[in-house]
Amino acid sequence: MSAKVIDGKAFAAGLRERIGREVARLKQAGGFTPGLAVVLVGEDPASQVYVRSKGKSTVEVGMNSFEHKLDAATPEAELLALVDTLNKDPAVHGILVQLPLPRHIDEAKVLAAIVPEKDVDGFHVVNAGKLATGAKDAIVPCTPLGSLMLLKDTLGDLTGKSAVVVGRSNIVGKPMAQLLIKESCTVTVAHSKTRDLPAVVRGADIVVAAVGRAEMVKGDWIKPGATVIDVGINRVTGADGKGKLVGDVDYASAAQVAGAITPVPGGVGPMTIACLLANTLIAACRAKGLAEPKL
Ligand code: GUN
């Protein structure tokens, strides 16, 4: 059996197009432009690539992009002051502080300083709590949101399915589990301490791998016909000595067994930025008291 390849790149392109149309409509009818502020502290190369990509995508859908690049030695108080300024700026509807932050800065304190209405990452405890309690106006973290969109596009109704999320991070694992519970799945959250992880994964109709370990989930862990969402992005050295990106799933073996699977790159990755733009658009509509668009 060879799995259907879930084309996240194409789905994300469609989503960005729909967002772009809504932005154009808001500019014309609403007389305003949604704006996203991205804050980068330091020179982490991967973060620089992500931030550049976010800025480019923001402009491409017609939104305003405000980039703030701070020195790695920036004191915490200075970053908190910038967040405060962005909180109060009416042209800014979404704020994202790129993680990880330098060690001298308390990440939780910075995330807590962003007003929940502008927290387009969905990392604030208010948004995490709203998601966990089923509040309609939760801002949902982008990677789990994008993963859920791909799952629903592939499978339709998820009711009653057994789902295993491998990974328990605040950014992906926990919110992913909450979203799947909301879709009436039976959810198991597995992690590095889970006993007999292969057997746990083998019970799942839906596998979401978000552990950050290259090619850890093997094909013989997958139930035949299962849907596999690979959130991992790991840079490894290939057999030819060149660097390449791989997921948390051993794609070659898993694709033999799964019913559908996301590739890396081109699966979940492009969905994350598209969902960031979607969250920004929704935050902007709420700030203006306008109806939220159906994307
Ligand atoms: N670093 C890696 N992924 C993310 C993300 O989704 N949001 C933020 N703020 N930082 C990240």
Side-chain angles (χ1 to χ4, degrees):
M1 185 166 163
S2 193
K4 170 187 182 263
V5 181
I6 300 171
D7 190 347
K9 196 173 164 194
F11 192 98
L15 179 56
R16 288 199 308 271
E17 204 178 297
R18 296 193 289 281
I19 293 168
R21 278 201 294 270
E22 284 300 323
V23 171
R25 200 180 56 80
L26 285 178
K27 281 184 182 174
Q28 222 188 14
F32 82 104
T33 305
L36 171 65
V38 175
V39 181
L40 173 64
V41 187
E43 279 95 40
D44 177 67
S47 292
Q48 282 177 328
V49 172
Y50 287 137
V51 166
R52 206 174 310 130
S53 181
K54 284 168 189 169
K56 187 167 164 270
S57 303
T58 306
V59 171
E60 275 170 7
V61 295
M63 293 186 191
N64 289 327
S65 170
F66 308 100
E67 275 185 32
H68 296 267
K69 293 186 177 157
L70 308 182
D71 190 86
T74 301
E76 183 182 276
E78 199 174 304
L79 176 58
L80 290 170
L82 172 60
V83 168
D84 188 49
T85 304
L86 297 172
N87 281 341
K88 290 172 179 151
D89 185 342
V92 172
H93 305 99
I95 302 170
L96 179 145
V97 177
Q98 184 68 26
L99 304 178
L101 288 167
R103 261 206 272 275
H104 67 279
I105 297 177
D106 181 345
E107 218 161 80
K109 199 165 164 184
V110 174
L111 296 181
I114 299 170
V115 288
E117 301 76 35
K118 295 191 181 187
D119 166 40
V120 284
D121 258 329
F123 294 166
H124 194 287
V125 288
V126 165
N127 282 314
K130 283 185 173 180
L131 175 61
T133 54
K136 285 207 168 55
D137 63 344
I139 301 183
V140 178
C142 305
T143 300
L145 180 59
S147 299
L148 183 73
M149 286 180 186
L150 294 181
L151 276 171
K152 288 171 90 165
D153 188 56
T154 304
L155 293 170
D157 186 8
L158 307 184
T159 301
K161 294 199 183 295
S162 133
V164 170
V165 179
V166 190
R168 52 176 159 179
S169 70
N170 290 337
I171 295 179
V172 183
K174 286 178 198 164
M176 188 75 238
Q178 297 293 357
L179 286 172
L180 291 166
I181 291 168
K182 235 169 82 179
E183 296 298 323
S184 302
C185 291
T186 303
V187 182
T188 302
V189 181
H191 45 76
S192 58
K193 303 280 196 303
T194 296
R195 279 193 212 140
D196 200 355
L197 183 58
V200 172
V201 174
R202 232 172 260 130
D205 304 315
I206 293 168
V207 180
V208 180
V211 260
R213 290 205 16 214
E215 298 177 321
M216 188 178 101
V217 177
K218 307 296 181 194
D220 64 0
W221 299 19
I222 305 294
K223 174 154 109 179
T227 302
V228 178
I229 303 291
D230 190 350
V231 175
I233 303 176
N234 308 286
R235 185 164 287 283
V236 298
T237 307
D240 57 0
K242 289 186 187 154
K244 62 168 184 170
L245 291 181
V246 298
D248 292 350
V249 177
D250 178 20
Y251 186 86
S253 63
Q256 301 295 314
V257 188
I261 186 167
T262 58
V264 176
V268 174
M271 292 301 292
T272 299
I273 293 185
C275 287
L276 174 69
L277 302 174
N279 280 350
T280 304
L281 174 63
I282 288 167
C285 289
R286 287 182 187 159
K288 293 283 179 184
L290 299 171
E292 289 167 31
K294 283 247 176 301
L295 295 168

